[in-house]
Amino acid sequence: MAGFGQAELEALHARLETPMFNVLFRRLWDAEEARDLVQETFVRLWAMRRRIVVATVEPLAYRIALNLARSHLRKRRIRRMLALDRIAAKLRDPRDPERELDAAGRSAAVREAVAALPDDVRDVVLLTTFTALGYDGVGAALGIPSGTVGSRRNRALRLLRERLGEEIDERAR
C-alpha cells in the first residue's frame, strides 16, 4: 500500500523518535541539533507521504536522517572554517566546570573513537546499535546488502576495540 496519513506518521514518530535521536546524537554530538534533524526527517516524510510504501518507511526514515546529518556536518565544518562557531560559543552561558570535566572525561575517548570510524562503518554501527532495524532494514536504509551490514559492524567493533583498548560488548544492539 503506497502512502500514509497523519495517524501512521504519528505512530512512526512515536516509535522512531528516541532511537533516531540516539543515532543522530552520536553522529553530531549535539542534542539540540539531533532533535532538530529528527523533526526535519519527519517533515520530509510528511511531504513525500503519497509516494511512501508503508512497508519500507522505517529504513527510508533513517536514510533521510543520516543524509541530513551528513549535510549538517558539512555545513558545520564550513562554519568552523569561517570562525562563526567561536563567536557563538562566546555568547553562550558558561557551563558548570565540574560537570563539564566529568562529562568530558567519560565521553571524550568514545566520541573520538566513533568520530574516527569511516562513515560507512560508523553509520552501520549506529543504526544496528540504536535502532530496532535488523540487518535487512539497515541495509535498506544505507542501500547495501544485509551481509555487508554484518561485516561493516564487525569492522567497526574491531576498530573501536583497537582505539579504546577495551572490550566492546558484542551483544549491544
Side-chain angles (χ1 to χ4, degrees):
M1 176 168 124
F4 64 93
Q6 184 174 346
E8 290 85 4
L9 183 69
E10 289 172 0
L12 182 69
H13 185 270
R15 190 171 70 250
L16 297 185
E17 181 179 25
T18 298
M20 186 176 289
F21 170 83
N22 287 331
V23 168
L24 292 173
F25 177 75
R26 282 156 183 87
R27 280 294 260 151
L28 304 170
W29 296 110
D30 184 297
E32 185 177 331
E33 290 174 351
R35 277 190 286 276
D36 289 346
L37 292 186
V38 168
Q39 296 309 314
E40 177 65 22
T41 298
F42 284 93
V43 167
R44 290 185 182 210
L45 285 171
W46 181 252
M48 58 191 303
R49 68 188 174 275
R50 288 182 179 83
R51 299 174 299 173
I52 291 176
V53 176
V54 176
T56 61
V57 71
E58 196 166 324
L60 174 63
Y62 283 107
R63 181 179 297 198
I64 291 169
L66 287 171
N67 286 339
L68 287 170
R70 282 187 201 97
S71 177
H72 186 78
L73 287 170
R74 280 190 298 274
K75 290 174 188 173
R76 184 192 289 171
R77 282 190 286 272
I78 292 168
R79 279 195 315 268
R80 281 189 183 145
M81 286 175 26
L82 300 174
L84 295 178
D85 282 354
R86 280 185 241 137
I87 294 168
K90 289 178 183 178
L91 298 175
R92 292 187 192 121
D93 291 333
R95 291 181 162 184
D96 176 7
E98 286 182 37
R99 189 173 136 220
E100 183 77 18
L101 286 174
D102 185 42
R106 283 182 281 138
S107 64
V110 173
R111 286 183 184 197
E112 288 175 19
V114 171
L117 291 172
D119 283 348
D120 60 339
V121 297
R122 181 175 44 222
D123 289 344
V124 165
V125 79
L126 292 175
L127 287 173
T128 58
T129 303
F130 297 106
T131 72
L133 293 174
Y135 283 16
D136 290 337
V138 171
L142 299 175
I144 59 175
S146 60
T148 303
V149 170
S151 63
R152 287 185 184 177
R153 182 175 184 274
N154 289 336
R155 179 174 172 223
L157 293 174
R158 180 180 46 78
L159 292 169
L160 288 172
R161 266 190 229 99
E162 291 170 5
R163 175 95 176 176
L164 295 170
E166 60 188 52
E167 194 65 28
I168 303 291
D169 185 0
E170 294 266 356
R171 294 166 291 150
R173 207 161 119 44

